[in-house]
Structures are given as structure tokens and as C-alpha cells.
Amino acid sequence: TQAIALNEADPQYYNSRAHCRFLLEQYDDALADYVRATELGTDSAVYATDLADAYQFLARWEEASKAYRTAVAINSKYPRAYQNAAWLMATCPDPKHRNVDLALSAAKKVIELTGQRSPHARDTWAAATAAVGSHAEAAQLQQEAIRSADKEDRAEMSQRLTLYERGQSFIQPSLAQAVAGRVFVREGDELRPRPPPPTGEDSSPLAPTLAATTQLSTPLPAADLPAFGGAPDLCIWIGTPAHHADGGEVLAPVTPGR
């Protein structure tokens, strides 16, 4: 913010502040900064892709699609724009924004541009391959992605591998914006926000997450919350999918800059 006060014409300052605000879940302010960065840096595919990634995380599919197209128009050789656009077109929960053939083409374009098969590039390629119905090939690609992935990424990738081995495709959760970082408890047919416990009064491994959550003003229908194997009694939506011993389940939307 101080840097912006000294130089209001530098798009990088706005983009950097947008990253910080996004991590603090100040999404409206973050988007305003991402947009301003693209306005000042009209020749940067990086800024356009960062804006698109933020829109995708927040389930604003139309705006994400438009921003990815802008990024590719600015720089047709920028791999991240292709990769994350491919992810959106292959896995978007809104069929209107899925284009599986174009997704597969974009995912392959990433490999062509980089000359490498990074774990995330293979993960995206696998998702697009599954989306076109080639689940056996997708499973093979996903196995390759898992073998070369960092430890913290393997659990999420393994969940997708299970889907492909079952002849299913991966679709993003549809409530990423509504429940990102929130904790819910099932009450009948609804999921109500669970108030966070005071710091230090919960010894479970979820304590930091519970203490940091904020509440929504209205309950959500339990049926609307995607879950692996059905909605659990306790659902937490954060960055890394995993199952916890207390019955909670973690589900993850796509994070910016995947």
C-alpha cells in the first residue's frame, strides 16, 4: 500500500497487494487490485492470468474464462494461462463453461511450450483426458503426476486417480466462493456454520483452522455441498483434501496459481 502511494502507476504493486489480500480472504479488495493491475499492465499475460485464477477460485466462471482468453491474446506462449484455462474447461461444474476438446488441446499446449511434464501439467492433462472419456489414459497420466509430485500434492492427486480408475471424471466443487475456508456442521438437511472455538481450547489438529474461520449468515442445503462419498457431518473447505479421524472431510477448490 505504501509503495502504491509512492507510485500509483506500477501494476506490480497492485498485483502484489492483491495476492496479500487474497490470502487474507479480502476477496473483493483483492479482485479490485487484480483488475487495476491488468488495466495498468495491459501487455502482461501474468496479470491477466492472476486475475483469471482468482475468478476461478471464486467460482466466477464467466469472468475467469474471459480473463484467460485475454491472457492468451496478450501472450500466446504463456504456459500458465493455457494450463489453468484447460483446468477450467475440463473441470468446471457449470457445463456452459466446459469445453473438453479445447481443454485437452490447451493441456497439451503446456507440454509443447515448456518442453516438460511437470506434476501439475500432467495433473491438468489427466483431468482433460478424463473429461473426453479416455479414463484409462487419464489414470496413467495421473500416476505419472503423482510419482513426480511433492508430498503435499499427492493426496489430492490420488483422489482424482481413484475417480479415473472408476471411469469417472473430476469436476470442481461448485460452492468454492460460498464455503472457502468455512466450517459447517450438519443439522438435519442443512449445513450451518460452526462457531470457531476460542484459541487453545481445542486440541484437535483442526484447531488452527477452526479458530480462523468466519461464519456465513445463512445455512446451506447439505445436498449442495459436494463430498467424496456423501456429505459428512463436519465439512471443512481449505487447501488440501484429506480425511480426518474425527469424521471431518476436507475438500478443496482450485487455488490461484496452481
Side-chain angles (χ1 to χ4, degrees), residues 138-235:
Q140 181 177 350
L141 288 168
Q142 194 71 0
Q143 289 170 348
E144 294 174 2
I146 292 169
R147 282 197 293 269
S148 58
D150 293 334
K151 184 177 180 180
E152 58 267 24
D153 293 327
R154 291 174 189 165
E156 182 180 352
M157 290 183 178
S158 294
Q159 289 182 342
R160 285 195 278 277
L161 173 60
T162 298
L163 290 176
Y164 306 152
E165 290 175 337
R166 293 174 179 173
Q168 299 173 335
S169 301
F170 173 76
I171 299 296
Q172 291 186 49
S174 61
L175 295 180
Q177 181 177 12
V179 299
R182 270 61 175 181
V183 178
F184 297 86
V185 176
R186 178 190 289 278
E187 293 183 5
D189 292 330
E190 292 182 336
L191 293 171
R192 294 185 176 276
R194 168 175 165 173
T199 303
E201 293 188 12
D202 190 323
S203 60
S204 79
L206 302 179
T209 300
L210 296 176
T213 56
T214 56
Q215 297 187 47
L216 295 181
S217 58
T218 57
L220 296 171
D224 287 351
L225 185 65
F228 296 98
D233 290 335
L234 174 65
C235 301

Side-chain angles (χ1 to χ4, degrees), residues 52-64:
D53 288 344
Y55 280 138
Q56 180 168 190
F57 179 88
L58 297 174
R60 294 171 62 166
W61 315 120
E62 181 69 35
E63 292 154 303

Side-chain angles (χ1 to χ4, degrees), residues 54-173:
Y55 280 138
Q56 180 168 190
F57 179 88
L58 297 174
R60 294 171 62 166
W61 315 120
E62 181 69 35
E63 292 154 303
S65 298
K66 181 179 179 180
Y68 284 129
R69 289 195 295 270
T70 298
V72 171
I74 293 171
N75 185 353
S76 62
K77 295 184 178 180
Y78 185 53
R80 184 160 63 90
Y82 286 99
Q83 180 170 311
N84 294 355
W87 185 262
L88 174 63
M89 292 185 290
T91 68
C92 184
D94 186 347
K96 181 173 62 176
H97 298 292
R98 284 204 302 270
N99 185 329
V100 296
D101 292 326
L102 190 56
L104 184 57
S105 177
K108 291 180 178 179
K109 183 71 172 180
V110 176
I111 308 299
E112 175 188 328
L113 290 171
T114 63
Q116 300 176 351
R117 296 189 177 193
S118 71
H120 286 301
R122 294 187 196 196
D123 186 33
T124 302
W125 186 4
T129 300
V132 299
S134 300
H135 294 99
E137 182 182 354
Q140 181 177 350
L141 288 168
Q142 194 71 0
Q143 289 170 348
E144 294 174 2
I146 292 169
R147 282 197 293 269
S148 58
D150 293 334
K151 184 177 180 180
E152 58 267 24
D153 293 327
R154 291 174 189 165
E156 182 180 352
M157 290 183 178
S158 294
Q159 289 182 342
R160 285 195 278 277
L161 173 60
T162 298
L163 290 176
Y164 306 152
E165 290 175 337
R166 293 174 179 173
Q168 299 173 335
S169 301
F170 173 76
I171 299 296
Q172 291 186 49

Side-chain angles (χ1 to χ4, degrees), residues 11 32-43 47 51:
D33 279 345
Y34 282 131
V35 169
R36 186 58 179 154
T38 63
E39 292 171 346
L40 293 171
T42 56
D43 60 346
Y47 300 148
L51 175 61

